[in-house]
Amino acid sequence: MKGNQEYENGRQLRIEDYLQENRLETEGKVEVPSVLDVSELEEIDTKTVTNEILEEILSRDNMNLAYKRVKGNKGASGIDDMQVDELLQYLKENGEQIKEDIRKGEYNPKAVRRVEIPKADGNKRKLGIPTVVDRVIQQAIAQQLSKIYEPIFSGNSYGFRPNRSCHEAILKAKEIMNNGYKWVVDLDLEKFFDTVNQDLLISIIRRTVNEDKVVSLIRKYLQAGVLVNGVFEKTEKGTPQGGNISPILSNIMLNELDKELEKRGLQFVRYADDCIIFTKSRKAAERVMESITKFIEKKLRLRVNREKSKVDRPWRIKYLGFSFYQSKGEVEIRIHAKSIEKFKDKIREITSRSNAMSMETRFLKLRQVIRGRVNYFKIANMKKIVQKLDEWIRRRIRMCYWKQWKKIKTKYDNLIKMGINKDKAYRIANSRKSYWRISNTPEMHIALNNKTLERLGYLSLSSIHC
């Protein structure tokens, strides 16, 4: 267990074994867990922000809540190798000294540990994993910033906010389109988290948080640096993904875009850095694309990816994994084709013939993936696709069983046990057809019928999506 002396020594970067691999605290898009109710937020007067924010951040209740959030999220260690399980004792021994250093402006966050996560397009998302101590402090700051900024944020912003979700963003988009706004400006901000101008972000924060020590601490976290292959690199721009404070800072920055869109009277939905704007005509959409791109690049000093940004109809865009279609004059929600293919790729990985896992393990992994995907896409009209996917997954499971049975005698005996007559069982068992073709034969459909597969452990999509 680390003690007081180790706290002092820990101010210097430790790089020994810094590449130890653990589960990341967050995956993909980073969410700051909400600890607030909307009713509580609405009572805050944003015009009377006092100089007591730092003490609110360092208060016993706020720090305890931050610790519980970090503890609950678990996650990987930072560059000092301290694990989440060591955190409580360490804070008991060093917490007061850490607070005092923060009050004096003498606390210096440690650099973050760089981790790269593969993306679907072949690129990699760069995450920065802070130490567990810095995660607690960041979370404590984020909780207080959330109280201050939630009443200021736009009602059309849904990402990283309490009591808001992707589903609400999609349903709001559907509502706007059904009010006649059926042209979309699909904005793609190029490497947003890596390119945020820190000076501009700090100046925006100062408008509301007029307390030097708090602003200084936030800047220190922005400029803490990153350790890459044992080499320290400065972070002079961006808000590194992976830290607990990054999501609220991104919303503070992009709230400037929200206010500009509202000032112009535009209809829009934003989830983190994914923003779509709606108009009633193509010409209007093209004008908005041009003018908003100028605003983003000149005023916010961010980059718009012109190759990925586009003006198009709703049914030709992909937003948060969803898309849209028209039915009887109304816009409805569907799953985007790329999302379906991504799901199928995951199923292929689990049910690969070359995968040596047991069938029990396969069923467990399938249940996890299926339950997660259905719960995420449940607001879409997906009855037909669910039926097709179930048929396809069952066929892959039958293929796995056929591969697992291996020997002709084992295949023959299992088919007989499952009700196939001897002649057909002998013919199928001796067949030289591919595993995939055999999986679609009437005999395999009878032997491993839907009820049998459910009894063995298969959780069908249709059983969840009723």
Side-chain angles (χ1 to χ4, degrees):
M1 190 61 64
K2 300 174 174 61
N4 288 302
Q5 184 60 40
E6 189 171 355
Y7 166 69
E8 295 298 327
N9 296 337
R11 292 168 183 262
Q12 303 300 319
L13 298 178
R14 281 185 58 198
I15 62 174
E16 182 181 359
D17 297 328
Y18 78 97
L19 284 176
Q20 178 179 347
E21 289 299 325
N22 286 294
R23 185 178 68 82
L24 297 179
E25 181 167 357
T26 52
E27 295 182 359
K29 303 239 178 180
V30 185
E31 297 256 356
V32 174
S34 168
V35 298
L36 302 168
D37 291 324
V38 172
S39 58
E40 179 184 356
L41 294 171
E42 290 173 346
E43 295 174 1
I44 298 167
D45 184 357
T46 61
K47 295 180 180 179
T48 58
V49 176
T50 69
N51 290 328
E52 299 176 352
I53 301 171
L54 184 62
E55 290 307 314
E56 290 292 331
I57 290 170
L58 299 178
S59 69
R60 181 182 180 87
D61 288 346
N62 191 57
M63 292 296 289
N64 284 344
L65 187 55
Y67 162 75
K68 290 177 182 178
R69 294 292 178 180
V70 172
K71 175 73 172 176
N73 287 339
K74 299 182 180 179
S77 62
I79 63 170
D80 64 354
D81 257 0
M82 186 188 296
Q83 304 296 320
V84 174
D85 292 340
E86 301 175 76
L87 183 56
L88 180 59
Q89 185 62 34
Y90 185 78
L91 291 177
K92 285 180 179 179
E93 296 173 0
N94 302 288
E96 290 307 314
Q97 183 62 54
I98 293 172
K99 288 182 181 181
E100 189 60 26
D101 284 350
I102 291 173
R103 289 188 180 100
K104 292 178 179 178
E106 296 176 358
Y107 182 82
N108 293 308
K110 294 181 176 66
V112 300
R113 181 167 65 89
R114 170 61 50 80
V115 177
E116 295 184 342
I117 305 297
K119 295 171 67 176
D121 59 6
N123 294 321
K124 292 183 178 180
R125 177 178 288 110
K126 295 179 180 179
L127 298 184
I129 309 303
T131 65
V132 290
V133 173
D134 282 327
R135 293 211 289 273
V136 172
I137 299 171
Q138 285 193 31
Q139 179 65 27
I141 298 170
Q143 288 164 183
Q144 291 305 311
L145 289 181
S146 183
K147 287 183 179 181
I148 295 167
Y149 279 98
E150 270 301 314
I152 301 174
F153 287 155
S154 168
N156 291 336
S157 165
Y158 293 89
F160 311 142
R161 296 184 60 189
N163 304 307
R164 286 174 171 254
S165 66
C166 293
H167 290 172
E168 288 179 301
I170 294 298
L171 291 171
K172 179 63 176 179
K174 175 186 173 182
E175 177 188 328
I176 292 171
M177 287 182 282
N178 279 326
N179 285 333
Y181 297 85
K182 295 184 180 178
W183 281 95
V184 178
V185 178
D186 186 5
L187 286 174
D188 185 274
L189 300 183
E190 187 174 343
K191 297 181 179 179
F192 167 74
F193 286 93
D194 297 330
T195 60
V196 169
N197 185 289
Q198 294 179 358
D199 290 335
L200 178 58
L201 175 58
I202 290 297
S203 70
I204 292 170
I205 293 172
R206 276 194 182 279
R207 295 177 198 162
T208 308
V209 182
N210 189 23
E211 190 170 333
D212 289 343
K213 288 183 179 178
V214 174
V215 176
S216 175
L217 184 58
I218 293 170
R219 184 183 283 275
K220 284 182 178 180
Y221 273 111
L222 289 172
Q223 298 179 341
V226 61
L227 206 61
V228 183
N229 297 327
V231 179
F232 176 81
E233 294 181 1
K234 292 182 179 180
T235 49
E236 297 177 342
K237 60 181 181 178
T239 59
Q241 294 187 73
N244 300 56
I245 200 172
S246 184
I248 184 73
L249 294 183
S250 69
N251 269 336
I252 292 171
M253 184 66 160
L254 290 174
N255 189 52
E256 299 298 300
L257 172 61
D258 297 343
K259 289 193 295 185
E260 179 67 18
L261 295 173
E262 288 174 344
K263 186 171 72 174
R264 298 185 186 192
L266 294 169
Q267 300 289 325
F268 71 98
V269 170
R270 182 176 66 80
Y271 190 96
D273 58 328
D274 292 325
C275 183
I276 50 177
I277 307 166
F278 303 90
T279 66
K280 291 187 175 181
S281 70
R282 185 182 190 90
K283 285 186 178 181
E286 289 171 347
R287 287 195 299 269
V288 169
M289 171 68 86
E290 183 180 357
S291 61
I292 288 298
T293 296
K294 288 179 180 178
F295 172 82
I296 291 171
E297 295 185 338
K298 291 183 178 180
K299 298 293 185 180
L300 301 185
R301 303 176 200 173
L302 298 168
R303 294 199 303 266
V304 174
N305 188 326
R306 286 170 169 76
E307 291 183 2
K308 293 185 178 180
S309 299
K310 60 182 179 179
V311 169
D312 213 333
R313 289 292 200 176
W315 35 92
R316 288 196 287 267
I317 69 165
K318 176 175 178 279
Y319 189 63
L320 304 178
F322 294 87
S323 191
F324 307 91
Y325 69 98
Q326 286 199 116
S327 176
K328 298 178 181 178
E330 292 290 308
V331 173
E332 302 291 347
I333 304 167
R334 65 181 176 89
I335 308 173
H336 194 274
K338 288 184 178 179
S339 299
I340 295 171
E341 196 56 37
K342 186 177 180 181
F343 170 69
K344 292 178 76 172
D345 285 343
K346 188 63 179 177
I347 299 299
R348 288 187 186 100
E349 179 186 331
I350 297 171
T351 58
S352 170
R353 296 198 315 270
S354 59
N355 195 324
M357 70 176 71
S358 67
M359 291 305 299
E360 289 78 10
T361 303
R362 287 186 207 269
F363 282 129
L364 174 62
K365 290 183 177 293
L366 283 172
R367 285 195 295 272
Q368 292 170 343
V369 172
I370 288 169
R371 198 180 295 278
R373 292 297 193 278
V374 171
N375 285 339
Y376 182 77
F377 288 109
K378 62 185 178 183
I379 62 170
N381 294 338
M382 51 191 289
K383 184 175 181 180
K384 290 183 179 179
I385 189 64
V386 158
Q387 293 174 345
K388 290 181 179 179
L389 286 171
D390 268 332
E391 292 172 3
W392 177 75
I393 296 172
R394 289 190 187 102
R395 183 175 176 182
R396 291 197 65 85
I397 294 172
R398 293 179 183 114
M399 178 187 69
C400 289
Y401 273 108
W402 193 247
K403 168 71 174 178
Q404 190 181 65
W405 291 343
K406 292 183 180 179
K407 296 181 179 180
I408 293 175
K409 186 176 185 308
T410 305
K411 294 174 182 177
Y412 176 79
D413 289 343
N414 284 329
L415 289 171
I416 293 296
K417 289 177 184 177
M418 293 178 174
I420 307 302
N421 69 52
K422 292 182 179 180
D423 290 340
K424 290 182 179 180
Y426 181 83
R427 178 174 58 81
I428 294 297
N430 285 275
S431 174
R432 294 187 178 183
K433 291 180 180 178
S434 67
Y435 297 109
W436 184 241
R437 289 186 65 186
I438 290 292
S439 67
N440 201 36
T441 59
E443 290 78 10
M444 285 298 288
H445 276 265
I446 295 170
L448 291 170
N449 58 47
N450 295 357
K451 288 186 178 180
T452 299
L453 290 179
E454 287 177 9
R455 178 174 53 79
L456 290 169
Y458 176 59
L459 177 70
S460 65
L461 284 80
S462 54
S463 67
I464 306 173
H465 183 265
C466 299

